[in-house]
Amino acid sequence: SSGINAECPLRPGEEKATHKTKTVQGEKNGGTREVPLQRQPRFYPTEDSKKPLNNRRKVKPTKLRSTIVPGSVVIMLAGSHRGKRAVVLKQLPSGLLLVTGPYKINGVPLRRVDQAYVIATSTSVELPALPDTLTDALFKRKAKPTKNEKEMFVENTAEEPKISAEKIALQKEVDALVVPAVKSVDMLQSYLRSVFTLRKGQYPHEMKF
C-alpha cells in the first residue's frame, strides 16, 4: 500500500459519518462509546456570528403594464420633468422604462423612469429601429477618484462636463429617428409640447387618457 488514506466515495443515499465507535475498557462502561471524528473547540466566541440565510427567490423580470408598449406616449408624474409628455422607447433589462421627449420637441432627454411614475395614454407612435447602445450601462455613473491628504486641500478648477459627449451624440441620433415619426402623426408635436396640469373640478380617475 502507498500509505495514503484515500476517502471512499459515498454511494447514493449514504451520509458522511460524523462519529466513530471506540472500544472502552471497564465492565461498567458499556464496552463501546461513540466519539466524534472532529473535536469541538474548547473555547466559544462571546458573540454569535450571524450566518446568511439561503435565498431561493429567483429574480423575475418586471412585468410591464399592458397599456405601455414601445411608442406609447406617457405623462411624467415625478422628477424635474413632471407634467411633461414623453415617448416610451423600450423597457430596459432593469425593468425601468427608457423615455425621451424627444429632447428637440419638449426638452425631455433620454431618461429611465419607473412605470409607477407615469400615466399611460392611448396615443402612440410607430418607432423605427433604435440603436443597440440604449442600455442601462448608458446611465451608470463613474466612480469619483479618491483623494490623498495633499489633494484634499487643492481646489480642482477644471470641472468635468455633467453630460458626456457620448450621451449628447446618442441623444441627437435618437431625436433624428423619433422626431420624423412624431411629425408623421397629426397634432402630436403640439400635444407633446403641452404640459399636463389638473385644474379645479378635474379628477384624474374620471379622465380618459
Side-chain angles (χ1 to χ4, degrees):
S1 62
S2 60
I4 300 175
N5 294 328
E7 293 186 358
C8 298
L10 295 176
R11 296 178 182 178
E14 288 185 352
E15 295 183 358
K16 191 175 181 179
T18 57
H19 290 71
K20 66 179 180 179
T21 305
K22 187 177 180 182
T23 305
V24 184
Q25 296 179 356
E27 298 178 358
K28 299 180 179 180
N29 291 332
T32 58
R33 186 176 298 171
E34 293 289 328
V35 180
L37 293 174
Q38 187 175 1
R39 296 182 63 181
Q40 298 295 326
R42 294 181 61 187
F43 301 99
Y44 295 91
T46 55
E47 296 181 0
D48 294 335
S49 57
K50 295 183 178 179
K51 294 182 180 180
L53 300 175
N54 293 329
N55 188 2
R56 296 183 180 179
R57 291 182 298 176
K58 294 181 180 179
V59 180
K60 297 180 181 179
T62 305
K63 188 176 181 181
L64 196 61
R65 298 206 306 257
S66 59
T67 52
I68 300 177
V69 294
S72 296
V73 177
V74 295
I75 301 171
M76 314 269 282
L77 297 179
S80 57
H81 299 283
R82 60 180 176 273
K84 292 185 179 181
R85 293 171 170 87
V87 179
V88 177
L89 301 180
K90 65 177 182 178
Q91 185 184 23
L92 296 170
S94 61
L96 300 175
L97 300 175
L98 179 64
V99 301
T100 186
Y103 182 79
K104 192 175 182 180
I105 293 177
N106 60 7
V108 179
L110 289 166
R111 289 179 69 88
R112 292 186 298 179
V113 186
D114 195 316
Q115 61 177 335
Y117 296 101
V118 298
I119 296 177
T121 66
S122 57
T123 308
S124 63
V125 61
E126 190 173 346
L127 295 175
L130 298 172
D132 297 332
T133 51
L134 295 174
T135 59
D136 287 304
L138 179 67
F139 302 93
K140 189 176 181 181
R141 295 182 180 180
K142 294 182 179 179
K144 292 183 179 180
T146 56
K147 296 181 179 180
N148 55 30
E149 293 183 0
K150 292 182 179 180
E151 293 176 346
M152 287 176 65
F153 301 100
V154 178
E155 293 185 2
N156 187 10
T157 55
E159 294 183 358
E160 293 184 1
K162 293 183 179 180
I163 304 174
S164 63
E166 181 188 357
K167 282 188 179 180
I168 295 174
L170 188 59
Q171 181 69 64
K172 291 180 179 179
E173 184 182 355
V174 172
D175 281 2
L177 295 170
V178 180
V179 170
V182 170
K183 290 182 177 179
S184 64
V185 182
D186 191 27
M187 299 295 290
L188 182 57
Q189 192 171 355
S190 59
Y191 176 69
L192 290 173
R193 282 176 177 160
S194 62
V195 179
F196 173 76
T197 55
L198 287 175
R199 295 173 178 84
K200 188 176 181 180
Q202 292 181 338
Y203 305 101
H205 61 277
E206 294 179 353
M207 294 180 177
K208 185 178 180 182
F209 296 96

